[in-house]
Amino acid sequence: MEKTMAIMRNNRVCKLLGTDYPLLQGGMAWVANAQLAAAVSNGGGMGIIAAATMPADVLEQEIVKARSLTDRPFGLNIMLMSSTASDALELAAKYKISVVTTGAGVPGKVLHRLKPLGTTVIPVVASVALAKRVEKQGADAVVAEGMEGGGHIGELTTIALVPQVASAIEIPVIAAGGIADGRGVAAAFSLGAEGVQLGTRFLCCEECTVHPNFKREVLNARDRSTAITGQSTGHPVRCLRNKLTVEFEKMEKLHASAEEIERLGTGKLRSAVIDGDVEWGSLMAGQSAGMVNDIRPAAEIISGLFSEAREVLKGIYE
Ligand code: TUI
């Protein structure tokens, strides 16, 4: 690793996370398990286990497994809309997880419970208002996630959100949404971010256990391969287009009830990730899927992102 890279020297995110690179892996539900988190942490980033809807005993096993796979710190993502969020919170406390990210909601409870224990808490935000609120509540940094990202998303794009959040708060901002290569990393730093979070790129790393059919769909994706569904229910989700997203679109056009629409989505992420059902499963992925064209080890992806970012930034100023 080149220790002299300017964006890593005295970088507040590296210091906060205790990592070589200012990079977090996205907390992808059903995907971000111990194996992926350990691979990212071993590669010099911050690997994250997604608690998502995991029952407490399964999550506990993943935490123990990750500890056996890496000596480096790893984190836990708590999806605030999940019914198992409070179990995940207690496990984060029990295992003294060093870094906790939150998503899809307002993380007041998480901050209140974990800050006194010394946990580094990094909420994912999709607005300036929430960024300011969590800073006041003691958050250590925020991930500002644009709607280019996969899964549950907000309204603003990364290019509009990140600089507005960076101007509004003092704590470090980590950019997410649409970043999958060194050009995206360079852009994020230009927008005022001091770190990046990537999800979709890590779907196609060697250590990711997502079903090979899902990986193939990401590799085959183009610029317009994703769609947003669930806007009418207030829970917009970005996925790769397939029979499921077409059915969602039909139902939303017919003004189906929120319950009917939510019912159509139930269990579909699991069937995509575990069973490899690429027709009717929920292929949550971001717009950067069109840039993901190979399957490489996580460590190689991470070092490549930052060496490419360096070349991009050097090239612009030469
Ligand atoms: O959380 C995510 N992405 C996710 S969670 C997830 S699990 C899932 N499974 C089945 C169906 C739906 C979801 C899949 N993808 N990203 C972090 C994120 N958080 N993006 C946007 C937000 C967000 C949005 C609004 C955070 C806070 C928020 O606050 C609302 C408010 O009142 O300000």
Side-chain angles (χ1 to χ4, degrees):
M1 199 214 6
E2 292 169 87
K3 283 276 179 205
T4 54
M5 227 179 271
I7 58 178
M8 283 152 55
R9 214 181 299 134
N10 292 323
N11 179 283
R12 289 198 291 170
V13 173
C14 288
K15 284 189 188 147
L16 198 57
L17 303 175
T19 53
D20 296 337
Y21 295 95
L23 174 138
L24 285 106
Q25 165 236 313
M28 298 170 283
W30 286 97
V31 172
N33 55 16
Q35 185 171 313
L36 180 60
V40 171
S41 288
N42 286 332
M46 173 57 58
I48 300 280
I49 297 174
T53 53
M54 275 185 206
D57 58 331
V58 177
L59 178 56
E60 191 160 11
Q61 282 169 22
E62 289 300 307
I63 292 170
V64 172
K65 185 172 174 191
R67 290 234 160 120
S68 76
L69 296 173
T70 184
D71 295 328
R72 306 235 185 153
F74 59 85
L76 184 67
N77 174 266
I78 301 180
M79 210 279 259
L80 297 165
M81 282 183 342
S82 167
S83 58
T84 59
S86 49
D87 291 339
L89 181 55
E90 286 317 308
L91 284 171
K94 178 178 171 186
Y95 282 89
K96 298 189 169 48
I97 301 290
S98 55
V99 174
V100 168
T101 62
T102 66
V106 178
K109 260 193 195 163
V110 175
L111 286 158
H112 187 74
R113 176 78 177 94
L114 296 181
K115 279 318 298 168
L117 306 181
T119 312
T120 296
V121 181
I122 307 181
V124 178
V125 303
S127 68
V128 168
L130 188 58
K132 285 169 125 173
R133 186 165 157 190
V134 300
E135 180 182 51
K136 274 203 193 103
Q137 293 172 326
D140 297 280
V142 298
V143 174
E145 187 189 277
M147 54 83 85
E148 297 93 323
H152 180 82
I153 51 172
E155 272 177 41
L156 294 172
T157 59
T158 303
I159 202 163
L161 178 66
V162 171
Q164 294 186 69
V165 170
S167 296
I169 59 175
E170 302 291 330
I171 55 176
V173 177
I174 296 155
I179 304 169
D181 63 15
R183 294 171 298 181
V185 174
F189 277 78
S190 302
L191 296 172
E194 294 170 64
V196 291
Q197 177 181 283
L198 284 72
T200 303
R201 173 63 268 204
F202 289 114
L203 278 171
C204 286
C205 72
E206 275 177 13
E207 299 87 347
C208 180
T209 55
V210 73
H211 197 285
N213 293 352
F214 195 147
K215 284 192 185 178
R216 195 185 58 233
E217 294 300 309
V218 175
L219 294 175
N220 289 339
R222 299 171 13 162
D223 55 346
R224 299 180 64 228
S225 293
T226 71
I228 303 172
T229 60
Q231 250 157 342
S232 66
T233 69
H235 295 144
V237 169
R238 184 183 297 285
C239 297
L240 295 179
R241 292 179 200 273
N242 62 3
K243 287 185 176 167
L244 179 69
T245 62
V246 170
E247 190 62 26
F248 267 122
E249 276 159 6
K250 265 192 218 159
M251 283 176 77
E252 298 204 57
K253 258 196 201 122
L254 295 169
H255 303 291
S257 69
E259 293 74 40
E260 270 179 285
I261 294 170
E262 301 256 317
R263 206 177 313 129
L264 176 64
T266 306
K268 296 299 197 298
L269 182 57
R270 186 196 183 282
S271 50
V273 174
I274 309 294
D275 306 329
D277 182 354
V278 295
E279 291 192 333
W280 288 102
S282 177
L283 298 167
M284 290 187 191
Q287 289 183 325
S288 68
M291 289 182 241
V292 177
N293 300 315
D294 54 13
I295 298 174
R296 287 157 56 198
E300 210 179 290
I301 292 173
I302 296 167
S303 60
L305 284 166
F306 287 88
S307 54
E308 191 192 340
R310 181 177 200 241
E311 292 311 307
V312 168
L313 291 168
K314 259 179 29 190
I316 290 170
Y317 281 95
E318 251 162 24

